[in-house]
Amino acid sequence: MKRINRQTVSLTAIGDVTDINCHSNLPYFFYRAGKKQGLFTDPVRLDVSVFTWRRRLWNLKQLLLGKGVGGYQYSDEFSSILRKQVPPALWKGLMVSFNQVFPAAEWLLEEGGDIIYYIDATLRDLTGNPSYDIKLPAGILEKALEREQLNYQAARFVVTRSSWIIPTLTDYYKIDRNKIHHIMPGANITLPTGWSIPSFVDGAGKERDLVL
């Protein structure tokens, strides 16, 4: 396992992780807790306000080309602009990301850094499950799923807050089970002695126990 510049351990999401409004406030509290414990050295503060008109123009172009609208956040333009906002030194260290496709793992590996993806669900689960009703143009979705798989395969770890997506990671994305870690989605949780994660039972409804 290659050495990493441990002088920087940063946290990123789509937005400013020091803003409580970023990604339903999860990165905000995660960074604060990690910083307090000496884990994180740097927050990644991305300005997404620059995309207001860019997103509209991009969608208009996609519509005129007959490619459908939506999915700008998975475009090369979107990721390229965000990439330029990240301080160069952070690419050489360890980065923890709340997003499935940003940043591209290869960007860190090229600079000698490494990345951990910390996710609640995969894009495959979000777009393939009718209950989420997330629809993307076919071309955008295909490209996003490919990028996501490459990211997970190149990452040091993929950490998930939901055990039910582990089969998707291993079976669909072909990720080594040894690099997948499941943690409880909460802070300061005291569990009973001997408690263990319940086995997954397929099918939703009143007859199935809650599985985190």
Side-chain angles (χ1 to χ4, degrees), residues 32-101:
R32 288 186 63 186
K35 180 71 172 179
K36 184 176 181 180
Q37 296 182 37
L39 172 61
F40 295 121
T41 60
D42 297 89
V44 179
R45 307 183 65 182
L46 302 176
D47 179 11
V48 295
S49 67
V50 301
F51 294 114
T52 302
W53 286 103
R54 289 178 180 273
R55 183 190 300 271
R56 294 173 182 173
L57 291 173
W58 182 88
N59 276 308
L60 176 60
K61 179 181 177 181
Q62 293 292 101
L63 181 63
L64 294 175
L65 292 174
K67 296 182 178 181
V69 297
Y72 177 66
Q73 66 270 36
Y74 303 114
S75 68
D76 291 337
E77 177 181 295
F78 183 84
S79 59
S80 176
I81 293 173
L82 288 185
R83 182 181 185 180
K84 294 176 182 178
Q85 294 186 23
V86 178
L90 300 186
W91 297 120
K92 301 179 183 297
L94 176 63
M95 188 175 292
V96 179
S97 176
F98 267 81
N99 190 262
Q100 300 96 333
V101 297

Side-chain angles (χ1 to χ4, degrees), residues 162-174:
S162 307
S163 63
W164 60 270
I165 74 166
I166 293 177
T168 308
L169 289 168
T170 56
D171 300 342
Y172 179 81
Y173 291 93
K174 307 302 180 184

Side-chain angles (χ1 to χ4, degrees), residues 101-167:
V101 297
F102 181 86
E106 63 192 48
W107 298 345
L108 287 105
L109 299 180
E110 289 170 354
E111 298 294 331
D114 211 342
I115 188 165
I116 296 172
Y117 292 98
Y118 182 40
I119 61 173
D120 54 358
T122 69
L123 293 182
R124 173 70 175 179
D125 291 304
L126 292 174
T127 58
N129 190 326
S131 63
Y132 288 109
D133 197 32
I134 296 178
K135 298 181 177 64
L136 294 171
I140 291 293
L141 177 58
E142 180 181 2
K143 189 173 183 179
L145 290 172
E146 180 182 5
R147 164 48 54 197
E148 184 182 23
Q149 182 177 33
L150 291 173
N151 283 348
Y152 297 159
Q153 290 177 340
R156 171 163 288 213
F157 300 119
V158 179
V159 181
T160 172
R161 304 187 292 277
S162 307
S163 63
W164 60 270
I165 74 166
I166 293 177

Side-chain angles (χ1 to χ4, degrees), residues 13 25 75 114 128-129 167 171 176 179 188 190-191 204:
N25 74 40
S75 68
D114 211 342
N129 190 326
D171 300 342
D176 183 352
K179 70 188 303 182
N188 303 323
T190 301
L191 298 172

